[in-house]
Amino acid sequence: MVTSEAAPLVKVGGLADVLGALPKELERLGHDVRLVLPLYGSVKRSDELKPLPQPLHVFLAGSSHSVRVFETKLPGTGVKVYFLEYDEFYGSLDVYETEVTNDRRFTMLNRAAINLCYLLDWAPDVFHVHDWVGSLVPVYLNTTDRKTPLAQAATVLTIHNLQHQGHFGREALEVAHLPKEQVFRSDNMEAYGGVNFLKGGLYNATRITTVSPTYAAEIQRPEFGCGLDHTIRQRSGDLVGIANGIDTDAWNPRTDTRLPSNYSFRNLDGKRVCRTRLQESFGLEVRDDVAIYGFVARLYEQKGIDLLLPVASKLLTEQPVQIVILGAGDPGLEDACNKLMRHFPESCGVKLGYNDALSHLIYAGSDFFLMPSRFEPCGLSQMYAMNYGTPPVARRTGGLIDTIIAYDANRKDGTGFMFEAASPDALLGTMSWTTDILLNHREQYDMVQKNGMKAEFSWRNPAHKYAEVYENAIVARSGKAPTSSTSGDRLPPASPQVANA
Ligand code: ADP
């Protein structure tokens, strides 16, 4: 697997959680999964990182670069992780830098991932690459590397978030040493006169997956396609949506050591302790007769925080509500959150930055988890929240639709509360409704809470589905079965031993 993040080693968002959990589950199914990712300056150095005896040579931008490789294991598993040390590119603390440096950084990751297999004398059946940062591997294997033994490997590209595509000037092709005549075309990497790494991945991967069935359908439409809906429609026959699971070892309220008290759906006493601790940690008034709404996310428009901010003052003034926000991102949104806290210090708590332990306390101690996302490929936070007995209040979009059963007063069913319109008023109306359910119809709230806690969110089923995609991709790549789409996996016929049907 070629990735930029893997929890708990390197985490920015949900991509890391997937890469921390899916390999573990695949290993349980008997697969030999190995991860390759950059050794950023922020990764903790320890004796657990063992250097490989030889350096890895990566030819990039006209010269050869010597990369040191460190091997370790994904904690608690036998899954091998290879970290690429090249401080000139990866030495800073940031996982994602700027458009100026990112092409070199992630081109190196892709080139190095292939070269590493030779160094290790290890040939995977499948390169499973993630998002634009891993999208050049399928391109290399179909072009510069197409006559090499490794080109027999199938490639699977998973889209975790279509918004990030890796757009660069056309000189990125020279950096990568990719053949312009083959890839600088509108049906390959070319986009708006520049190059688009993700588009290259979409055209060249044997199979494509994304992180929920609803998102798989959404990204084929212009509203969600981020300019690539046409490309994705072309490959729709090779696209599968598989909803993420969660790592139920790491995210379990019965055993979570980050919580002041543990609990289960049979005994929720511990949750009340977490609730009080949450109010104390954010300096809020400690009271039972309010609804606490927790929000943990990257602070960007995608997450719908800008839907909450315009109505937050009204909510906090007129309703028995407390709001707790943990996040980092857009400076304007960070500022607006801080301002809100200053106006309502007793009912609104804000912590800016990344804080894993505090996120667990928010999932456990809140009454509701807010997720008003404008779009959401899958979302993991809503599943953590449900597992921790905190029903989500979420927009009806993407993976939220696939993972939350919307409360229905008539059917007396549901694991969370959902609303349709991406507008502050819709959110305000929904929060008034859910606050009323908590404070005045407690039995309904309890039912939703328990349903969520009992729901199955493990990686077992998704991992089986990925294994099926791998098998399918291997067969398609070997030419034993036709690919189902017209484009895709466009391995030129020049290489008979690996050509596609
Ligand atoms: P995305 O991948 O779009 O960021 P997900 O819901 O899939 O959204 O995953 C987000 C993950 O990142 C969750 O595990 C969430 O708890 C975590 N997270 C986001 N922001 C923070 C933060 N500021 N501190 C701690 N954890 C965070």
Side-chain angles (χ1 to χ4, degrees):
M1 293 200 187
V2 183
T3 176
S4 51
E5 303 178 36
L9 304 165
V10 184
K11 176 165 166 175
V12 176
L15 171 65
D17 298 34
V18 174
L19 268 293
L22 174 61
K24 183 154 86 173
E25 200 60 41
L26 287 167
E27 185 188 39
R28 274 187 204 140
L29 297 180
H31 297 283
D32 179 4
V33 187
R34 307 189 187 189
L35 269 54
V36 54
L37 68 163
L39 188 65
Y40 310 101
S42 50
V43 176
K44 234 185 30 225
R45 307 302 203 263
S46 74
D47 295 345
E48 303 286 305
L49 300 185
K50 312 262 185 258
L52 293 190
Q54 314 99 314
L56 182 68
H57 296 291
V58 181
F59 194 58
L60 204 78
S63 54
S64 179
H65 305 259
S66 177
V67 175
R68 224 165 147 213
V69 182
F70 287 85
E71 184 181 317
T72 185
K73 299 261 168 70
L74 201 57
T77 75
V79 174
K80 288 182 176 158
V81 177
Y82 300 99
F83 273 118
L84 306 173
E85 185 190 59
Y86 193 73
D87 282 349
E88 196 184 317
F89 288 5
Y90 306 133
S92 77
L93 299 181
D94 293 334
V95 173
Y96 306 104
E97 289 183 346
T98 62
E99 281 193 15
V100 180
T101 57
N102 272 344
D103 66 333
R104 284 163 191 262
R105 299 171 83 231
F106 292 108
T107 299
M108 176 175 275
L109 171 66
N110 285 262
R111 191 60 260 173
I114 298 172
N115 295 4
L116 178 64
C117 295
Y118 290 107
L119 188 74
L120 298 171
D121 195 18
W122 182 73
D125 297 308
V126 179
F127 281 92
H128 185 173
V129 304
H130 296 270
D131 277 344
W132 74 268
V133 294
S135 281
L136 291 192
V137 168
V139 183
Y140 279 126
L141 295 185
N142 281 0
T143 55
T144 47
D145 293 42
R146 72 188 164 88
K147 289 189 181 156
T148 64
L150 274 180
Q152 293 179 52
T155 50
V156 174
L157 165 65
T158 296
I159 306 166
H160 295 262
N161 189 336
L162 193 62
Q163 202 174 37
H164 310 293
Q165 300 180 0
H167 263 294
F168 304 103
R170 63 167 83 182
E171 59 284 357
L173 294 182
E174 276 142 41
V175 171
H177 296 288
L178 280 167
K180 214 174 235 175
E181 65 289 357
Q182 282 182 52
V183 301
F184 196 68
R185 302 162 40 141
S186 62
D187 62 350
N188 209 308
M189 292 183 72
E190 189 277 332
Y192 304 103
V195 297
N196 182 321
F197 281 25
L198 186 66
K199 194 174 171 199
L202 289 171
Y203 269 108
N204 287 279
T206 318
R207 287 287 184 269
I208 302 164
T209 74
T210 188
V211 290
S212 69
T214 298
Y215 195 59
E218 285 174 347
I219 56 178
Q220 298 184 47
R221 306 206 307 262
E223 312 93 272
F224 292 95
C226 302
L228 288 178
D229 45 292
H230 169 75
T231 304
I232 294 168
R233 279 198 303 280
Q234 280 203 311
R235 299 242 30 213
S236 62
D238 296 324
L239 168 68
V240 185
I242 302 173
N244 289 333
I246 60 172
D247 183 339
T248 43
D249 301 330
W251 293 91
N252 185 340
R254 277 182 296 156
T255 52
D256 192 334
T257 51
R258 293 175 190 83
L259 301 183
S261 181
N262 293 112
Y263 58 93
S264 69
F265 80 89
R266 279 180 225 289
N267 183 349
L268 286 157
D269 290 351
K271 184 162 169 62
R272 279 187 282 280
V273 176
C274 296
R275 190 180 188 278
T276 305
R277 177 68 63 85
L278 178 67
Q279 288 172 317
E280 287 167 352
S281 324
F282 278 86
L284 306 180
E285 244 185 303
V286 176
R287 342 176 2 181
D288 288 335
D289 58 348
V290 290
I292 308 179
Y293 289 85
F295 180 96
V296 180
R298 295 177 296 110
L299 286 184
Y300 292 100
E301 243 186 50
Q302 178 201 335
K303 298 293 176 183
I305 182 77
D306 57 315
L307 302 178
L308 174 67
L309 291 167
V311 290
S313 298
K314 189 170 166 66
L315 262 167
L316 293 166
T317 314
E318 296 175 5
Q319 302 208 22
V321 158
Q322 293 182 341
I323 297 174
V324 165
I325 296 171
L326 169 67
D330 184 315
L333 293 170
E334 289 189 352
D335 257 12
C337 290
N338 263 340
K339 248 183 220 143
L340 189 69
M341 174 175 66
R342 282 199 295 274
H343 275 104
F344 299 95
E346 293 186 339
S347 53
C348 177
V350 173
K351 295 254 157 77
L352 298 179
Y354 183 88
N355 188 329
D356 189 52
L358 192 58
S359 77
H360 285 243
L361 183 64
I362 296 175
Y363 289 116
S366 304
D367 297 314
F368 294 103
F369 188 78
L370 263 187
M371 219 157 160
S373 308
R374 289 173 184 279
F375 72 94
E376 196 57 76
C378 179
L380 296 167
S381 310
Q382 77 280 10
M383 292 190 263
Y384 299 142
M386 286 184 271
N387 219 26
Y388 280 61
T390 303
V393 174
R395 252 205 84 224
R396 197 183 280 279
T397 184
L400 298 174
I401 295 176
D402 298 328
T403 54
I404 300 171
I405 302 169
Y407 168 71
D408 181 327
N410 297 322
R411 280 192 291 122
K412 303 227 178 324
D413 193 5
T415 56
F417 302 88
M418 303 192 84
F419 65 102
E420 195 77 42
S423 77
D425 279 342
L427 180 59
L428 176 69
T430 306
M431 290 173 75
S432 313
W433 171 55
T434 48
T435 302
D436 179 59
I437 290 176
L438 175 75
L439 299 177
N440 302 316
H441 306 278
R442 181 76 201 204
E443 72 300 338
Q444 296 291 298
Y445 175 88
D446 290 346
M447 184 246 331
V448 175
Q449 179 184 53
K450 292 236 158 80
N451 287 345
M453 292 186 87
K454 286 191 266 182
E456 157 74 27
F457 294 121
S458 83
W459 269 102
R460 204 167 316 127
N461 287 334
H464 277 286
K465 289 184 184 154
Y466 274 105
E468 260 173 49
V469 172
Y470 299 150
E471 278 165 24
N472 206 279
I474 291 166
V475 172
R477 183 71 169 176
S478 69
K480 288 187 193 119
T483 46
S484 44
S485 81
T486 48
S487 67
D489 200 18
R490 42 208 332 276
L491 199 66
S495 176
Q497 80 273 30
V498 291
N500 222 12

